[in-house]
Amino acid sequence: MFSYFLRRVILMLPVAFGVSVICFLLVQIAPGDPLTAIMPVDATADEQAAMRAIYGLDKPLPIQYAIWIGNLAHGDMGKSIATGRPVAGEVFGAVNNSLLLAFSAAVIAFPIGIFLGFLAGYFRDTWIDRVVTAISIAGVSVPNYWLGIVLVIIFSVNLGWLPSMGAGPGGSQDWSWDWLHMRHLVLPAVTLAVVPIGIVARTVRALAGDLLTQDFVLALYAKGMSRGDVLRHVARNAAATALSVMGLQLGYLLGGSILIETVFNWPGSGFLLSNAIFQRDLPLLQGTILVLALFFVAMNLIVDVAQAAIDPRIKRS
């Protein structure tokens, strides 16, 4: 198992390098001047050149990339052009908030999706299957930002049960583990969980429905196993594929929450990324995109290792 883990880590290194190159180049080739946000309109050519030299934008792209990677190796992501604050502090603070939101949505989505999927797979081609399929398709099809606005109108504006913005009372951006703050997490987490519920339910339904028709299930029943024991065998055979889908969905929950965080004014990486895009803040853009991409790569590594631990056939192949 350790050798398999070591091989996966070695294979991950060139992927991480490629991700860093793509993050750097995509931001660099975007149109617009990143210094327009902080330079006066009547700045002279000498002042513009001096400012570019301060941020290293006067050097060729390969040199800029080498300097950026060298600074990253020492934990320095640079300073935000718009605020002047260290990028690392802003990015990791926002990523922590996004992780909180993503894991909260996953805690809601994955158990519900697995339950609905197994229910539909067990009662395949019945009215229960059709109802679960309709729920899954609706969850995947409904735009989550629209759903977030609808939930705000119902539960915040009309009923007044839950707050609609920020991570704390009064629109605070700071998080604390108490009910006043946790209330702010409910609506964005539920909104973000809707799409994964549909995807996981459809995946598990297909897996369970297929496995329940295979010969080994009939053999288990013939040996006198109870229905619960048989379902545990089916769940173990479906676990590797389901885990892969859930790992990908967790990555999407973290990186794809920009609209949800904007709707609810949640101080996460998506909200930070949105502001950095509008401000053309290159260091902040590069740092945020890189951290999110590396998290996705690390999540794939964790899922690969977990799959091999659950299903030894994957490790042998």
Side-chain angles (χ1 to χ4, degrees):
M1 191 66 194
F2 178 75
S3 61
Y4 176 82
F5 172 75
L6 190 60
R7 287 199 305 271
R8 299 305 301 175
V9 170
I10 293 173
L11 290 174
M12 189 185 73
L13 295 179
V15 175
F17 173 74
V19 164
S20 70
V21 173
I22 293 173
C23 290
F24 179 82
L25 291 179
L26 283 178
V27 173
Q28 292 290 337
I29 64 178
D33 189 347
L35 297 180
T36 54
I38 60 173
M39 292 183 62
V41 179
D42 57 349
T44 64
D46 291 339
E47 290 173 339
Q48 294 180 10
M51 188 63 69
R52 292 182 186 280
I54 292 174
Y55 286 97
L57 299 177
D58 58 334
K59 297 178 176 62
L61 285 182
I63 302 300
Q64 291 186 41
Y65 175 76
I67 295 173
W68 182 59
I69 286 294
N71 291 336
L72 282 177
H74 294 86
D76 181 12
M77 292 185 174
K79 291 187 177 181
S80 168
I81 293 177
T83 65
R85 293 193 291 266
V87 169
E90 296 201 28
V91 169
F92 287 111
V95 168
N96 285 336
N97 290 331
S98 288
L99 283 172
L100 174 65
L101 179 58
F103 279 107
S104 300
V107 167
I108 297 171
F110 294 166
I112 295 176
I114 292 171
F115 173 75
L116 292 177
F118 264 106
L119 191 67
Y122 188 79
F123 295 100
R124 195 169 186 175
D125 298 327
T126 65
W127 67 270
I128 296 177
D129 183 19
R130 289 190 287 272
V131 169
V132 172
T133 299
I135 294 173
S136 302
I137 294 175
V140 174
S141 303
V142 172
N144 52 12
Y145 63 88
W146 176 83
L147 178 62
I149 295 172
V150 171
L151 293 179
V152 167
I153 293 173
I154 296 174
F155 293 100
S156 295
V157 178
N158 294 337
L159 299 177
W161 290 354
L162 295 168
S164 61
M165 298 181 68
S172 170
Q173 305 295 301
D174 298 322
W175 175 260
S176 179
W177 288 100
D178 55 53
W179 174 239
L180 290 177
H181 288 79
M182 292 175 67
R183 293 173 69 244
H184 288 76
L185 185 61
V186 175
L187 288 182
V190 170
T191 305
L192 197 59
V194 170
V195 173
I197 287 176
I199 294 174
V200 172
R202 292 293 292 167
T203 302
V204 174
R205 183 259 181 197
L207 290 170
D210 178 63
L211 288 169
L212 285 169
T213 60
Q214 293 188 11
D215 293 338
F216 82 91
V217 174
L218 297 176
L220 293 176
Y221 278 121
K223 290 175 64 176
M225 278 194 177
S226 65
R227 182 179 302 175
D229 291 334
V230 172
L231 290 179
R232 278 194 290 272
H233 281 277
V234 171
R236 183 168 184 178
N237 279 271
T241 304
L243 183 64
S244 175
V245 173
M246 288 189 288
L248 290 175
Q249 287 304 306
L250 185 59
Y252 289 135
L253 287 175
L254 179 65
S257 60
I258 179 170
L259 292 176
I260 301 300
E261 291 182 1
T262 302
V263 169
F264 292 99
N265 197 30
W266 183 263
S269 57
F271 188 70
L272 183 68
L273 191 61
S274 175
N275 291 336
I277 290 171
F278 285 114
Q279 294 172 347
R280 194 69 170 82
D281 193 336
L282 284 187
L284 192 57
L285 267 175
Q286 289 170 338
T288 306
I289 294 173
L290 180 66
V291 170
L292 292 178
L294 291 180
F295 175 84
F296 202 88
V297 173
M299 182 57 60
N300 283 334
L301 173 65
I302 294 172
V303 169
D304 286 344
V305 174
Q307 282 182 307
I310 293 173
D311 189 349
R313 292 172 299 179
I314 296 174
K315 182 171 59 177
R316 286 196 297 267
S317 63

